[in-house]
Amino acid sequence: MADNKMLIKFFVASESIFFIMLILAYVNFKGTVVDGPTAESSLNPYVTGIFSLFLLASSFTIWLAGKSLRAKNHTMMKVWLLVTIVLGAIFIFGQGREWAGLIEQNITISRNVFGTTFFTLTGFHGFHVCVGLIMLSILLGLALFGDFKGPRSDGVEVISIYWHFVDGVWIVVYSVIYVWAFFL
Amino acid sequence: MEILQLFNAGWSFEPWALVFASVLVGAYLLGVGTRLNRHSVLYMSGVLVMLFALVSPLDYLGRHYLFSAHMIQHILLLLIVPLLLLFGIPKSTAEKLLKIEPIGKMMRVLSYPPVAWFLGVGAMWVWHMPSIHDMALNNNSLYITQLVSFVLIGMIFWWPVFTPIENRRLNPLTGTLYLASACLGCTILGMLITFAGAGLYTAYINPVDSAGLLALIRNDLCITPGVDQQIGGLTMWVPGCLIYLSASMITLAQWYGAPDEGVSAARQEAA
Amino acid sequence: MSRRLPLVPENTEPLPSLKENQGMLAWVSSVDHKQIGLMYLMVTMVFFVVGGLEALLMRIQLSQPEFNFISPEVYNQLFTMHGTTMIFFVVMPFLIGVGVYLVPLMIGARDMAFPRLNALSFWLVVFGGILIYYSFLTQSGAPDMGWFAYSPLSEKPFSLNKGPTYWALGLLATGISSVASGLNNIVTILTMRTPGMTMRRIPLFVWMILVTSFLLIFVIPIIASAFAMMLLDRLLEATFFTPAHGGSAILWQHFFWGFGHPEVYILILPAFGIISEVIPVFSRKPIFGYEFVAGSTVAIGLLSLGVWAHHMFAVGLGDVTNLYFSLASMLIAIPTGVKVLNWVATMWGGKIIFATPMLFATAFIIEFVMGGITGVAIASVPIDWVVTDSYFIVAHFHYVLYGGSMFAIFAGVYYWFPKFTGRMMSETLGKWHFWLTIIGFNMTFFVQHFLGVMGMPRRIYTYQDFPYWGSMNLISTIGAVVLALSVLVFMWNVHVSRKRGKKAGNNPWDAWTLEWAAASPPAVHNFDLVPPVRGRRPLWDLAHPEQPDEPNAKVVD
Ligand code: HEM
Ligand SMILES: [Cu+2]
């Protein structure tokens, strides 16, 4: 049945409107900060950039997992799923680190509009990554118990579409927050 | 009377525009022939609209005084002209054209819908980044590149939906999504330009008054830089979006008119 | 190719009861689209009564100048909850519910594409409703900032009570439900159609549900993100919408109406769908211009996304902006007008049967056009500046929402009740309901046009004794009482007909769409045998094989 994949595609389309709104809110307030921290004064584009690479890589590894499944290579699929989860977790760790650093300097969601929009946007994205990680872990768990013999599985394909989406959103978010502040 | 001044000012028959237009016309005469029919009329009106956008005061004003004039020119070049040109190409010519290896290969990549979509929407966004737009105003060859790229990218953008080779067109529902999401892309940009404070594009704040029109524009027509930018943003947003919308109406209408089979044959098999 | 068509077999065995024998549990645990659809209808009925009572209280308070029936604080809570209830918990879930019930039947499917997701959608609406109404029990009462929750009124400093928090949370839950049912509908309609049921043959109601579903999945996220921001403002002291801390109150208005205007089309498009089913059947003619009805809907759906700022003419966005939005808003009237012409042309020269569904459908056309005309009027900036935030606006949106959506809902209930229950609704009571509604509705809302033009602002709990204000408000209140009576008649009708109505049979109206080929009420699996579909009116083709709708249609079996 193609239904599941169609569902997730429309779902992702709907979700992208949600993120577009959060991004518009960020853009709307960019440059209006009168005092207090801004993206330029408080973020580090390089550290976050490196952690971003892990997330990007995970998009590649989940694609490999799907490919292994199509080739009926069950072992490799499990390995690639595991790698994907680890890469995603590293990204979340990086984000946690960044947040902790900011909060230590008393830059919080209630500090000013930069704090508000920054934490909301990255927070909702991080939340989506976490949901993805949970789903991936369930997939891996099922795979370890011998599910997904291939060559096709809606479960794997649907979750990988979602995961690519979460990745794509991050590229936009990173461009809007970091690239715009530091490289343009 | 005074407004006439605007129309008289700055007809600029720049050679490159004339050359570009004659290349388009020449290619058509060579490739398709000289017969007068629906196709050739559409194609030639496309070229005429393009010439109008390039040599009329629209160009002059858009380059020196008014962002809004630039935006109207932009909409004409990116959305209207390519559509007319595309409708003007007969199916047989398009097929012949695609058989020529490099063109065919290139178009296979470029007309892949996601690529075409990103090019079309991307052209809109990139050329309107304030820094790039200001750069183009100051640099003649960049300016020409901008205008020519509008027309070419416009053709690529419309290709998946309106290619002359009908059976290669996107299925109408997908086509509607393609156009509606492009409309969203241009809406957001239009919105940002409209609601951003005045002075996004520095060149239009205090233009060099080379044709002595500034007093007319600012005082008699009351177009301040803020209003100018709003008109520009809104032009991209509302009429721009309406063009996408009307186009998707055309795809739907064609679909209704088409014979029955194949509409959802694949889906029926799945059911 | 021309073999005899099998007629739909009459049902001989007793129908499996929807309830089986497990009572409530069978309903709560059900994933059957028909049961879920009926639950939607029942829940919206409850909310309709609650919202109606709130309205009645407000009307009593306004029945005479300087009246002291309820306090200003309670009045504010009442109009907020009334608007919220009617829009999010009556019209929307009702139309979604009818869709859930009918779409699979109309396209010849066994169920929705995702039955469990369907159940989730339904229970989320219930949950959201309870969450919002729970706020009445909290210490400082329900939200009181109006259904559009303008900031900074809805922000912490101005609304210290918990009402707005419950409000945003409840609507967030409902929004998730709407997106889920939109997704479910889209996939169902695109992939579950029976062979032969091409997109050009699906009933117009299904078309409307499809377009509405696209609107749902693309505009609910707009408001969902705004609710999330509002909640962050209220709970974590973020500063999105608090101007005092660098936020922007206007941003809320853009977000809200960016959702809000498409939302009014979410509320009216399925109603158009109901009308487009009822009118042909009771005029005994196929719909005039199927393509135009479907196509203009897509146009409306897309256009509706770009006109929201007509709710913000008084904000000061600038003359140019106002002008553009004014023109764009008036454009929407064109595809809407096309539809009205189609319905009238369908009735033209038909053998019209004025049963209750048709009465409501006809009245719908008239009342909705009234609302449409005032709509185009206030889309013009100078007129809007005079009447914005006055009772004129209240009159406008009640003409489109009650005279439009609710009339269509009634038409739909009378039309499909036989399918839902196997029994006809009483025509006598139906006519009583209809005429009381017409009198009550117009009495209540027509005078409000004048009140608005005379300057009576909306959302005030009382007013001074200006000339005519008292008498017109009294007329309006009496109208509201009549309207309440009409609803009582309707509910009584539903109650008695459900048990004692005339047996309906499969196809009491001699209609043509697939749902009438199923038993009444349909068996759990919907169809024993889906009739062949080779045109827009499969049951007509079945009954008149010599005169098919599409003589040249290919057979797909
Ligand atoms: C013919 C097309 C329509 C036009 C041009 C139109 C125009 C408008 C305008 C300009 C306003 C804002 C008035 C103000 O606040 O000053 C408005 C308010 C409203 N309209 Fe319409 N309208 C149309 C159809 C509809 C339909 C079909 C519905 C619902 C089914 C609807 C529901 C509403 C509601 C609920 C409000 C009030 C919102 C509020 O302020 O609480 N309208 N309309
Ligand atoms: Cu509106």
Side-chain angles (χ1 to χ4, degrees), chain B residues 184-206:
Chain B
L184 181 72
C186 122
T187 299
I188 291 179
L189 181 59
M191 224 154 67
L192 290 176
I193 295 176
T194 309
F195 293 124
L200 206 53
Y201 301 97
T202 43
Y204 299 111
I205 302 176
N206 284 312

Side-chain angles (χ1 to χ4, degrees), chain C residues 103-118:
Chain C
V103 164
L105 285 166
M106 284 180 157
I107 61 176
R110 160 72 186 81
D111 203 318
M112 298 286 282
F114 304 98
R116 276 173 294 185
L117 188 64
N118 197 14

Side-chain angles (χ1 to χ4, degrees), chain A residues 7 10-11 13-14 17, chain B residues 177, chain C residues 92 95-97 99-100 103 112 175-190 205-221 262-263 265-267 269-270 297 301 305:
Chain A
L7 179 75
F10 280 118
F11 173 72
S14 175
I17 304 284
Chain B
L177 270 185
Chain C
M92 251 174 110
L95 295 170
I96 290 177
V100 160
V103 164
M112 298 286 282
I176 295 172
S177 139
S178 304
V179 173
S181 51
L183 292 169
N184 209 341
N185 271 319
I186 292 175
V187 177
T188 306
I189 296 171
L190 291 184
F205 179 75
V206 179
W207 254 113
M208 303 294 148
I209 291 286
L210 181 65
V211 178
T212 308
S213 301
F214 273 105
L215 277 180
L216 282 174
I217 68 168
F218 289 124
V219 306
I220 298 288
E263 167 73 9
Y265 283 95
I266 291 170
L267 298 171
L269 288 182
T297 311
L305 297 171

Side-chain angles (χ1 to χ4, degrees), chain C residues 87 91 147-148 150 256-257 260-261 263-269 272 307-314 326 328-334 336 368 371-380 383-385 387-390 393-394 396-402 404-405 458-459:
Chain C
I87 287 183
V91 177
W147 84 283
F148 47 50
Y150 274 3
F256 187 86
W257 291 119
H261 189 82
E263 167 73 9
V264 309
Y265 283 95
I266 291 170
L267 298 171
I268 199 70
L269 288 182
F272 288 169
V307 299
W308 73 86
H310 66 215
H311 295 269
M312 301 167 64
F313 284 157
S326 168
S329 307
M330 291 181 186
L331 266 184
I332 286 207
I334 298 174
T336 313
F368 179 74
I373 290 173
T374 51
V376 176
I378 51 183
S380 141
I383 298 182
D384 186 68
W385 277 351
V387 295
T388 187
D389 264 331
S390 78
I393 304 303
V394 179
H396 158 67
F397 66 72
H398 281 92
Y399 266 83
V400 277
L401 281 175
Y402 205 103
S405 307
R458 64 193 280 207
R459 297 182 173 167

Side-chain angles (χ1 to χ4, degrees), chain B residues 173 176-177 180 191 194-195 227 230-231 234-235 237-239 242 245 248-249 252 255-256 258-261 263-264 267-268 271, chain C residues 190-191 193 195-196 198-201 207 214 254 290-291 294-295 298-299 302-303 308 317 320-321 324-325 328 331 550 554 556:
Chain B
L173 286 187
T176 308
L177 270 185
M191 224 154 67
T194 309
F195 293 124
V227 170
Q230 276 192 7
I231 300 179
L234 285 158
T235 304
W237 181 354
V238 181
L242 274 180
L245 177 63
S248 56
M249 288 296 107
L252 274 184
W255 175 48
Y256 280 129
D260 213 8
E261 56 249 294
V263 175
S264 57
R267 295 236 167 77
Q268 280 168 20
Chain C
L190 291 184
T191 64
R193 303 188 308 277
T198 61
M199 287 301 281
R200 273 179 292 158
R201 289 177 181 159
W207 254 113
F214 273 105
H254 279 300
Y290 173 99
E291 294 80 358
V298 182
L302 293 174
L303 273 174
W308 73 86
L317 298 176
V320 187
T321 310
Y324 270 82
F325 275 104
L331 266 184
E550 293 176 32
K554 289 229 178 74
V556 195

